[in-house]
Amino acid sequence: MTNQDDFSNVISFVNGALDVPSSPIIPYIEGDGIGIDITNYVKEIVDKAVYISYSGDRTILWKEVLAGEKAYNKVGQWLPNETMDAFRKYLVGIKGPLTTPIGEGIRSLNVALRQELDLYVCLRPVRWFEGVATPLLHPEKVHVTIFRENTEDIYAGIEWAAGTPELKKVLNFLQNEMGVAKIRFPESSSIGVKPVSVEGTERLVRAAIEYAIENKLPSVTLVHKGNIMKFTEGGFKKWGYGLAEREFSDTTFTENTFNKIKVEKGLESAVSAYNTAMTEGKVFIKDVIADAFLQNTLLKPEEYSVIATLNLNGDYISDQMAAMVGGIGIAPGANINYKTGHAIFEATHGTAPDIAGQNIANPCSMLLSAVMMLDYIGWSEAGSKITKSLEMMFKKGHATNDLARFMHDGTSLSTSDFANELINLL
Ligand code: ATP
């Protein structure tokens, strides 16, 4: 760890791309509960992978910043300004799980961080690791990257509780000014508002399409409930297609265009246009209703690659798909603003107080998030070394107990033994 704060060690964002020095300062939050058990191992593994990948020419200068219980105990604040300033300045950071303060005026520290930095994409890659127990017959067919919108939808937290004077005002407005007569039990209803905007949709879908193009992936699927919520979820679909056709006409082909050609010139012409686009390596932009999507992920997961979806759908989809590959406990995640470069990579599980301090927690969610971080800053060689070593360990059934107990011939390792074996494998 270092307190060095030289300008030449700060990652910057120039002309839409990260400029990463050979020794970037990366702020990290240790996290509460099992965060304390896993974070140092994650740093150690990353350091070793970086060292061997670049023969010592690159190194991460870790800078601890405080949040959660540790911050509260040390400085009396759950999310000190210095921590926010560090993430603002250094652009890229990583965090362990955090305890949510009760009754401190903050709904959740994670949400506060996302809102403060306007981290509008919640990025959740899902893949299967051979050896990990799963309910699917063919988990190897699941390989998706989910772009979940992070700032809008009912997660905006605009709601009023039943029986309050505020609710009465909203009800009065809806019934008397807007002519709404469809609220079944007005006297006892709570009411929430679901904002979905053109800007919010476009920046999310743009990020998903650019990711697909950059990584040469075959499709982006817009998942929505536009059949029921015409203007919000339906807007997401319409604006998503609109963006693809306007900004990515050279690199994508949309289902929307396919359907238009079909109506105007017949199915054969549409299929021919589709085939031509695919031969040219274009990304296919399609859409599906969320409920059908969930069914399809089980029946034909190979049809999906990059997923773009709104906040609530994204919540369900991320966890369901992670569960399909047995990876709910090791699923990595990141919250990113692709316009400013700000990104926070994070363990997706909670603080697991029941097992904290016992040296049995699984470090893989945070570790795989660190791999995403290495990819994000362009150090993918180091990231893929970690992934390869993990693949080898899982393949032979070596894992922490949460995974090993379900594996065929699994060997349960403590957090430290798991981390050390991984470091040796690197
Ligand atoms: P929080 O209140 O912070 O969300 P939690 O324990 O209620 O924490 P999760 O962290 O999602 O919620 O965990 C649920 C259970 O899953 C934990 O109690 C623990 O037994 C198990 N678990 C979660 N993460 C891990 C991990 N990294 N390694 C091993 N077991 C885990």
Side-chain angles (χ1 to χ4, degrees):
M1 186 169 60
T2 178
N3 286 325
Q4 197 177 350
D5 196 10
D6 187 336
F7 183 70
S8 62
N9 298 115
V10 178
I11 297 176
S12 52
F13 196 64
V14 186
N15 299 328
L18 288 180
D19 186 1
V20 182
S22 54
S23 299
I25 295 170
I26 296 202
Y28 73 95
I29 295 170
E30 181 182 58
D32 301 321
I34 55 170
I36 300 164
D37 306 347
I38 60 177
T39 302
N40 277 330
Y41 289 118
V42 169
K43 281 163 51 202
E44 235 181 274
I45 295 166
V46 169
D47 284 342
K48 169 94 185 274
V50 168
Y51 184 79
I52 55 172
S53 300
Y54 308 109
S55 318
D57 289 341
R58 291 182 188 177
T59 174
I60 290 177
L61 303 177
W62 298 103
K63 179 186 176 72
E64 181 169 11
V65 291
L66 297 174
E69 234 170 85
K70 190 169 183 181
Y72 190 74
N73 292 338
K74 282 200 169 171
V75 298
Q77 283 176 299
W78 289 93
L79 189 56
N81 289 336
E82 294 75 41
T83 299
M84 286 312 313
D85 290 344
F87 283 122
R88 232 174 254 123
K89 173 172 177 181
Y90 299 109
L91 290 184
V92 178
I94 186 163
K95 60 175 274 294
L98 292 173
T99 302
T100 295
I102 299 164
E104 295 284 335
I106 301 178
R107 268 199 178 193
S108 141
L109 295 175
N110 294 330
V111 173
L113 279 167
R114 283 171 208 167
Q115 283 177 347
E116 194 65 33
L117 297 169
D118 194 22
L119 305 175
Y120 59 87
V121 170
C122 176
L123 186 64
R124 295 280 296 266
V126 180
R127 60 157 288 190
W128 178 62
F129 282 91
E130 192 181 343
V132 173
T134 142
L136 294 196
L137 268 183
H138 290 289
E140 74 283 356
K141 290 182 178 175
V142 181
H143 212 132
V144 298
T145 307
I146 301 159
F147 281 72
R148 168 187 172 191
E149 207 288 326
N150 231 353
T151 63
E152 298 195 301
D153 202 352
I154 54 168
Y155 273 69
I158 311 168
E159 53 176 8
W160 298 276
T164 59
E166 291 80 10
L167 190 276
K168 279 206 178 77
K169 271 194 196 172
V170 175
L171 201 57
N172 184 37
F173 169 72
L174 288 176
Q175 291 179 323
N176 299 329
E177 288 194 42
M178 301 302 290
V180 173
K182 290 183 192 163
I183 303 172
R184 183 67 187 83
F185 299 108
E187 291 312 312
S188 64
S189 288
S190 288
I191 292 180
V193 172
K194 176 184 173 85
V196 176
S197 68
V198 176
E199 287 94 328
T201 297
E202 288 192 346
R203 64 183 185 171
L204 185 274
V205 175
R206 185 181 294 114
I209 295 178
E210 281 173 349
Y211 181 90
I213 293 170
E214 224 165 85
N215 293 283
K216 300 193 170 24
L217 296 169
S219 67
V220 174
T221 306
L222 309 171
V223 182
H224 61 89
K225 279 292 286 180
N227 54 335
I228 304 297
M229 292 166 269
K230 309 264 184 218
F231 301 129
T232 50
E233 301 262 341
F236 178 78
K237 169 188 159 183
K238 186 174 111 186
W239 300 323
Y241 274 136
L243 175 95
E245 285 159 15
R246 199 173 68 241
E247 288 187 12
F248 298 95
S249 57
D250 293 345
T251 42
T252 68
F253 180 78
T254 69
E255 192 180 354
N256 200 33
T257 306
F258 178 92
N259 288 334
K260 272 188 208 156
I261 300 175
K262 195 170 115 185
V263 170
E264 286 164 16
K265 301 181 183 165
L267 180 62
E268 219 170 281
S269 302
V271 170
S272 157
Y274 169 84
N275 286 338
T276 307
M278 294 306 104
T279 329
E280 291 167 355
K282 290 187 176 173
V283 178
F284 188 46
I285 314 292
K286 52 186 173 173
D287 79 280
V288 62
I289 305 286
D291 40 327
F293 172 76
L294 290 174
Q295 174 173 285
N296 290 348
T297 55
L298 292 168
L299 299 176
K300 39 185 183 178
E302 66 277 13
E303 290 200 354
Y304 300 108
S305 174
V306 176
I307 310 299
T309 192
L310 287 170
N311 215 333
L312 181 63
N313 295 331
D315 189 25
Y316 303 146
I317 289 169
S318 308
D319 277 8
Q320 189 227 345
M321 297 208 73
M324 281 165 47
V325 292
I328 193 92
I330 60 171
N335 298 292
I336 303 178
N337 181 324
Y338 287 95
K339 288 181 178 170
T340 61
H342 285 108
I344 299 182
F345 297 80
E346 64 181 0
T348 58
H349 53 74
T351 56
D354 55 330
I355 57 161
Q358 296 174 36
N359 193 26
I360 56 173
N362 188 341
C364 289
S365 172
M366 194 167 175
L367 183 60
L368 288 167
S369 301
V371 170
M372 290 172 73
M373 181 179 84
L374 291 168
D375 283 344
Y376 184 71
I377 64 171
W379 295 12
S380 348
E381 297 83 1
S384 59
K385 282 204 168 60
I386 297 174
T387 309
K388 286 214 174 78
S389 305
L390 258 185
E391 282 168 354
M392 285 161 72
M393 289 192 59
F394 287 149
K395 202 168 171 180
K396 57 183 180 182
H398 285 203
T400 45
N401 188 50
D402 54 306
L403 291 185
R405 66 191 155 148
F406 299 116
M407 286 171 155
H408 179 65
D409 281 341
T411 306
S412 283
L413 300 176
S414 64
T415 313
S416 49
D417 286 347
F418 180 83
N420 289 328
E421 189 175 326
L422 191 68
I423 286 172
N424 290 332
L425 265 179
L426 286 169

